[in-house]
C-alpha cells in the first residue's frame, strides 16, 4: 500500500573543509506538481538536475527546495563586491533618470541584493557538484519518508470514517423499509378519506337513476374497485419517491471502491478518492432530501459529517 501526504519536510546537512551544505525540502497542498528551487546564483546550472531528483519522490503538491552553503567562520573564505557589476547597475540607473526623473535612486541594500554583486566564488568553486546532488537525493528520501508517514495517518483516518459510513448504511437498511411502508399507509389513508368526503357512492346512484338496480350495483362496484386500485397505485408511486435503497447501494459501492483505491499500489490516490468523496456526498444529500422520518434524517446528517471528514483528509493526499 502506497499513500503519501502532500505536506512534507526533509532536511540534510553535510559539512566539509569549506563549510556546511544544507538541503531543505518542504511542501504544501496543490492540485498539480509545482517545484520551486532556490539556489545561489553560482549553482543555477544545477537546477534541472535537482528538479529531476525531487520529482522522483512526489506526484502532486507545491514543493520548495532550498540549497544553501554556509562557509566556515574561521576559514579563508571572504565575500567580495563585484565592482564592475555595481558600475553597470549605477550606469543603467543614471540613464533611466536622465530620460525620466520620476524614479527613486537605488539604495545600498537594493544594489547588494542584485544578482552577481556579491561574489562568493571560493566556496562554490571548491565544492564537488556530485556531492551537492547526493545531498539533495538524501534530503528527497527524508522528505519521501515524511510524506509516507503522514500518508499512513491520513489513510487510517479515512478508513475509520469509512467504517462509520458502513455502520450507518446498515442501520438505514433496517429503517428504510419501515419508513417506506409507513409512507405508503399514510398516503393510502389520506386518499381514501379524500374519496369518502366526495360521497362517491351517492354520486354514482344519482347519475344512474334510469338504469336497473342490478346494473347500477355492478357499475358502482366496478368503479369503486377502480378507485381503490388508483389509490393503491398513487400511494405506491409516492412511496417510491422516498425509497432510498438505490442510494444506499451506491454508497456501499463507493465505499468498496474507496477501500480498493487505498489498498492498491496505484499512484495519484488523492484525485480518485476526492471524486469518490464527492459521489458519496451527493448520495448522502439525496437520502436527506428523501428522509421520511427523523431517524433517516439523522443518519443522513451523520453520513455527511463523516464524508466531509474524508474529503478533508483526501485533500492532503498526493
Amino acid at each position: 500500500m502506497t499513500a503519501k501526504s502532500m505536506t512534507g519536510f526533509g532536511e540534510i546537512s553535510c559539512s566539509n573543509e569549506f563549510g556546511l551544505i544544507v538541503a531543505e525540502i518542504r511542501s504544501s497542498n496543490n492540485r498539480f506538481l509545482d517545484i520551486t528551487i532556490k539556489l545561489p546564483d553560482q549553482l543555477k546550472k544545477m537546477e534541472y538536475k535537482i528538479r529531476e531528483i525531487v520529482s522522483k519522490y512526489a506526484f502532486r503538491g507545491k514543493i520548495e527546495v532550498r540549497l544553501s552553503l554556509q562557509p566556515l567562520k574561521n576559514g579563508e573564505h571572504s565575500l567580495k563586491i563585484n565592482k564592475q557589476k555595481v558600475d553597470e547597475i549605477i550606469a543603467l540607473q543614471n540613464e533611466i533618470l536622465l530620460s525620466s526623473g520620476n524614479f527613486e535612486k537605488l539604495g545600498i541594500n537594493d544594489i547588494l541584493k542584485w544578482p552577481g554583486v556579491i561574489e562568493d566564488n571560493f566556496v562554490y568553486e571548491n565544492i564537488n557538484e556530485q556531492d551537492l546532488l547526493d545531498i539533495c537525493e538524501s534530503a528527497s528520501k527524508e522528505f519521501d519518508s515524511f510524506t509516507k508517514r503522514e500518508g499512513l495517518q491520513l489513510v487510517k483516518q479515512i478508513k475509520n470514517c469509512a467504517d462509520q459510513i458502513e455502520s450507518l448504511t446498515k442501520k438505514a437498511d433496517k429503517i428504510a423499509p419501515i419508513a417506506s411502508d409507513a409512507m405508503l399507509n399514510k398516503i393510502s389513508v389520506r386518499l381514501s378519506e379524500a374519496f369518502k368526503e366526495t360521497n362517491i357512492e351517492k354520486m354514482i346512484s344519482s347519475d344512474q337513476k334510469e338504469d336497473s338496480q342490478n346494473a347500477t350495483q355492478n357499475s358502482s362496484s366496478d368503479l369503486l374497485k377502480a378507485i381503490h386500485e388508483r389509490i393503491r397505485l398513487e400511494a405506491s408511486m409516492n412511496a417510491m419517491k422516498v425509497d432510498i435503497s438505490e442510494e444506499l447501494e451506491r454508497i456501499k459501492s463507493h465505499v468498496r471502491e474507496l477501500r480498493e483505491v487505498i489498498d492498491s499500489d496505484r499512484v495519484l490516490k488523492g484525485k480518485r478518492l476526492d471524486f469518490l468523496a464527492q459521489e458519496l456526498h451527493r448520495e448522502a444529500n439525496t437520502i436527506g432530501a428523501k428522509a421520511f422520518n427523523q431517524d433517516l434524517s439523522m443518519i443522513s446528517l451523520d453520513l455527511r459529517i463523516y464524508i466531509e471528514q474524508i474529503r478533508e483528509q483526501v485533500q492532503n493526499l498526493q
Side-chain angles (χ1 to χ4, degrees):
M1 180 178 63
T2 304
K4 295 182 180 182
S5 170
M6 272 196 284
T7 56
F9 178 79
E11 183 183 58
I12 291 292
S13 60
C14 179
S15 59
N16 58 22
E17 58 183 309
F18 306 110
L20 182 68
I21 305 170
V22 180
E24 181 184 293
I25 302 175
R26 60 177 70 240
S27 66
S28 57
N29 292 0
N30 195 54
R31 188 176 178 184
F32 305 104
L33 180 62
D34 180 13
I35 301 176
T36 302
I37 300 176
K38 297 185 177 181
L39 300 170
D41 293 336
Q42 294 87 339
L43 300 179
K44 289 294 184 182
K45 60 182 180 179
M46 297 175 57
E47 182 173 336
Y48 178 75
K49 293 181 179 180
I50 294 174
R51 187 181 300 275
E52 280 189 326
I53 291 172
V54 176
S55 62
K56 294 188 300 183
Y57 298 95
F59 310 113
R60 287 202 302 165
K62 184 176 180 60
I63 301 173
E64 180 181 297
V65 183
R66 187 184 297 271
L67 187 65
S68 61
L69 287 81
Q70 302 173 12
L72 293 174
K73 293 182 179 179
N74 299 326
E76 299 179 2
H77 164 74
S78 61
L79 298 177
K80 296 180 181 179
I81 297 294
N82 187 332
K83 294 182 179 180
Q84 181 180 352
K85 179 68 69 173
V86 173
D87 292 340
E88 290 175 358
I89 294 171
I90 294 174
L92 288 172
Q93 175 183 252
N94 293 334
E95 185 178 342
I96 294 172
L97 290 174
L98 285 175
S99 60
S100 176
N102 296 327
F103 298 97
E104 294 183 2
K105 289 186 176 181
L106 294 173
I108 184 64
N109 289 332
D110 299 321
I111 295 175
L112 290 176
K113 290 178 181 178
W114 201 275
V117 169
I118 298 179
E119 293 184 336
D120 199 9
N121 293 329
F122 177 80
V123 172
Y124 300 103
E125 289 175 355
N126 291 277
I127 291 180
N128 185 276
E129 181 178 306
Q130 188 58 47
D131 291 340
L132 294 177
L133 294 177
D134 291 342
I135 291 172
C136 290
E137 182 81 36
S138 298
S140 298
K141 290 179 179 178
E142 284 290 321
F143 168 78
D144 186 55
S145 297
F146 188 102
T147 58
K148 286 179 178 178
R149 290 194 300 270
E150 288 291 307
L152 287 175
Q153 292 300 317
L154 293 173
V155 167
K156 183 178 179 181
Q157 295 177 35
I158 292 172
K159 284 187 173 182
N160 287 338
C161 290
D163 291 339
Q164 296 297 327
I165 291 172
E166 287 178 333
S167 177
L168 288 168
T169 54
K170 289 179 181 178
K171 185 177 179 181
D173 276 333
K174 296 178 181 179
I175 298 174
I178 300 173
S180 182
D181 291 341
M183 181 68 167
L184 180 61
N185 293 332
K186 186 174 182 179
I187 294 173
S188 297
V189 170
R190 285 183 177 179
L191 289 173
S192 297
E193 289 176 351
F195 276 110
K196 284 182 180 179
E197 290 176 0
T198 61
N199 205 357
I200 191 67
E201 292 184 356
K202 289 184 177 181
M203 292 174 63
I204 294 172
S205 299
S206 61
D207 290 341
Q208 297 180 346
K209 287 181 180 179
E210 297 179 358
D211 295 339
S212 64
Q213 186 174 1
N214 291 335
T216 302
Q217 290 176 349
N218 291 335
S219 178
S220 174
S221 177
D222 292 340
L223 184 55
L224 288 173
K225 287 180 181 179
I227 290 172
H228 286 299
E229 179 62 23
R230 185 63 182 177
I231 290 173
R232 187 192 65 78
L233 180 60
E234 290 291 335
S236 298
M237 291 176 64
N238 282 276
M240 288 176 63
K241 295 179 181 179
V242 297
D243 181 29
I244 60 171
S245 58
E246 290 186 9
E247 286 77 11
L248 292 175
E249 287 302 317
R250 281 194 288 267
I251 286 178
K252 294 174 187 176
S253 176
H254 293 329
V255 171
R256 286 194 297 269
E257 177 66 16
L258 183 143
R259 292 187 184 278
E260 288 179 6
V261 172
I262 289 175
D263 293 332
S264 73
D265 291 328
R266 284 181 288 178
V267 298
L268 298 177
K269 294 181 184 293
K271 290 185 177 181
R272 180 63 178 167
L273 292 175
D274 187 41
F275 170 77
L276 290 171
Q278 292 178 28
E279 293 299 306
L280 284 167
H281 197 269
R282 183 179 294 109
E283 301 302 336
N285 280 338
T286 304
I287 290 175
K290 288 185 174 183
F292 180 65
N293 60 24
Q294 188 175 3
D295 290 337
L296 286 177
S297 295
M298 292 305 298
I299 287 175
S300 171
L301 177 61
D302 290 340
L303 282 172
R304 281 175 282 180
I305 289 173
Y306 288 116
I307 293 168
E308 188 60 33
Q309 290 179 15
I310 289 177
R311 292 182 70 177
E312 290 176 0
Q313 304 306 325
V314 164
Q315 294 301 319
N316 296 320
L317 281 177
Q318 289 189 30

